[in-house]
DNA sequence: ACAAAAGTGTTAAGAATACACCCATGT
DNA sequence: ACATGGGTGTATTCTTAACACTTTTGT
């Protein structure tokens, strides 16, 4: 069988989230070529023979947005879509990944105009089926923050409880009760206060916290 | 770029679960060719250009196990693995799917010896990375029965509460409390008693139940 | 003194858990 | 009459949800 085998086009698409001004944003690029020239799209591209899907992700991200994969604090594969090919051949298979980061500035690169983080609440029309991929990623993130500490990847190393709560609110898209949030989150024993306060603005300084462990932890008792 | 593009080998692997004698079983085939000749493996194969991943699944299942995809009562994509190729070329990308069914008998086909449902608790050594794929699928199923009615796909249309509980126990791998299970499951309002009893054996006949709705339903209030 | 965000507890309702006996049938 | 699996309720603990005022700072 294998001697006549021809593989379908394999592509790779990325949903990179970041919190900016207490808003959840996603990294988009403006396509410089047909198809969908001039439209906003997720940064994505071809996955060539010899490259694993993470190799492809690394290359695509760097080429299209100037972001190094090592700058992402959390990466997870999402789903593999049967989709429209990037070229006129028609059908393609596209593996999508979600990445979480903080404080990243995408760079203008040769192959794309204007990589930029756009608030998820206010997305422009996207090329291909990318709107549904963003949606899928957002839902995954929402459920993941519920049963893990993955929010660490979107926060600075030292953060206040208000910043933490605000991250959850940005991800869920709704407000949470301050006292209940603090009580519940502290009971998970994922974070501890550090010997430092955040002094900023004309108000009482805030206790800073840090996560107890680096990396992903899965909770038995879910959050929200 | 696309004129020099060569795609990696794309394959497709299936984890088909079924309940047999109150045990969760998974469909395996004995490989007739190298590599891993003579070893047990998941039914899988090539995904060729022009075929969507579900096209590939349909073909692979029918060819290797004689099972029609339409006989599966639930299908869900699991994960896409960077893995060892089925041929000596090395690297391949493999999309895996989970399927749930009941009362299916796999058939001996030209391309495989002995497709057979094997208890998940007592798996033989598997080819490739298939042991970890089965494990991944099992975890997905365990979490999915918790927040959905997906267990319907493994049960007959009419079933007793004891059969339902036994399905959960087979999936979780541990016993559940009878009174608490019944109280909790009935409170979800997914099933209703029908006007029929199951009479079987020298004991009190059992009330039969049916799911209220066909197809997958997601719960807000999780199960276990 | 005031504006602004930080911090803090209690009550009530609902959910989860632990647990043991009687019921209806076939042989 | 007995063996077999079907069926049922209560009390306790834990979790969730609703809710408002005081504290500390900078200006």
């Amino acid at each position: 069988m294998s001697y006549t085998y021809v593989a379908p086009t394999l592509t790779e698409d990325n949903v990179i989230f970041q919190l900016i001004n207490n808003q959840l944003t996603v990294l988009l690029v403006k396509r410089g070529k047909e198809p969908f020239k001039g439209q906003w799209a997720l940064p994505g591209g071809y996955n060539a023979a010899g490259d694993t899907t993470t190799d492809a992700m690394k290359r695509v991200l760097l080429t299209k947005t100037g972001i190094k994969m090592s700058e992402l604090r959390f990466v997870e594969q999402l789903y593999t879509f049967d989709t429209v090919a990037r070229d006129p051949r028609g059908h393609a298979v596209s593996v999508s990944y979600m990445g979480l980061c903080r404080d990243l500035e995408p760079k203008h690169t040769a192959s794309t105009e204007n990589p930029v983080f756009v608030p998820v609440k206010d997305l422009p029309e996207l090329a291909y089926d990318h709107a549904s991929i963003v949606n899928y990623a957002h839902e995954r993130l929402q459920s993941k923050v519920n049963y893990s500490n993955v929010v660490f990847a979107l926060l600075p190393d030292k953060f206040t409880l208000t910043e933490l709560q605000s991250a959850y609110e940005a991800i869920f898209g709704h407000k949470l009760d301050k006292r209940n949030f603090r009580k519940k989150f502290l009971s998970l024993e994922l974070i501890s206060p550090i010997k430092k306060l955040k002094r900023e603005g004309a108000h009482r300084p805030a206790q800073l916290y840090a996560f107890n462990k680096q990396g992903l932890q899965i909770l038995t008792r879910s959050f929200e």
Side-chain angles (χ1 to χ4, degrees), chain A residues 104-191:
Chain A
L104 284 194
E105 284 285 347
K107 291 158 200 77
H108 178 95
T109 67
S111 77
T112 323
E113 306 166 30
N114 270 343
V116 63
F117 282 95
V118 176
V120 169
K121 274 186 188 163
D122 196 29
L123 286 187
E125 201 183 336
L126 299 185
Y128 304 109
D129 52 353
H130 288 184
S132 67
I133 300 181
V134 173
N135 200 51
Y136 187 91
H138 191 184
E139 286 174 8
R140 176 80 66 98
L141 179 61
Q142 287 180 333
S143 78
K144 196 115 188 161
V145 293
N146 247 312
Y147 66 83
S148 80
N149 66 345
V150 77
V151 70
F152 81 85
L154 295 165
L155 289 175
D157 287 334
K158 299 166 183 187
F159 52 88
T160 67
L161 289 180
T162 302
E163 287 165 348
L164 179 63
Q165 179 175 345
S166 153
Y168 272 89
E169 289 173 343
I171 292 165
F172 290 146
H174 59 80
K175 294 281 174 196
L176 299 170
D177 178 272
K178 183 159 64 156
R179 280 174 291 186
N180 290 342
F181 177 86
R182 287 168 181 234
K183 199 187 328 161
K184 217 186 312 183
F185 204 96
L186 289 171
S187 78
L188 300 176
E189 304 195 318
L190 294 171
I191 61 174

Side-chain angles (χ1 to χ4, degrees), chain A residues 10-123:
Chain A
L10 189 67
T11 62
E12 197 276 324
D13 286 303
N14 299 295
V15 185
I16 310 299
F17 287 122
Q18 184 173 194
L19 291 172
I20 299 177
N21 297 330
N22 295 333
Q23 284 201 301
L24 186 68
T25 66
V26 63
L27 182 57
L28 299 180
V29 296
K30 203 160 218 171
R31 287 187 58 80
K33 302 184 208 167
E34 293 295 344
F36 296 101
K37 183 170 176 174
Q39 272 213 44
W40 291 101
L42 294 172
Y46 289 93
N47 186 324
D51 277 358
T52 64
T53 56
T54 44
D55 291 339
M57 180 175 184
K58 199 167 178 174
R59 191 137 47 89
V60 163
L61 266 187
L62 190 62
T63 314
K64 303 243 167 157
T65 71
I67 290 176
K68 293 182 201 129
M69 196 166 157
S70 59
E71 295 176 300
L72 301 177
R73 313 220 323 140
F74 179 78
V75 171
E76 173 169 293
Q77 191 192 103
L78 289 173
Y79 196 82
T80 297
F81 295 89
D82 287 294
T83 181
V84 201
R86 282 178 161 63
D87 59 42
R89 277 182 284 177
H91 175 251
V93 174
S94 179
V95 183
S96 56
Y97 279 86
M98 172 171 74
L100 305 180
C101 61
R102 64 183 195 207
D103 294 330
L104 284 194
E105 284 285 347
K107 291 158 200 77
H108 178 95
T109 67
S111 77
T112 323
E113 306 166 30
N114 270 343
V116 63
F117 282 95
V118 176
V120 169
K121 274 186 188 163
D122 196 29
L123 286 187

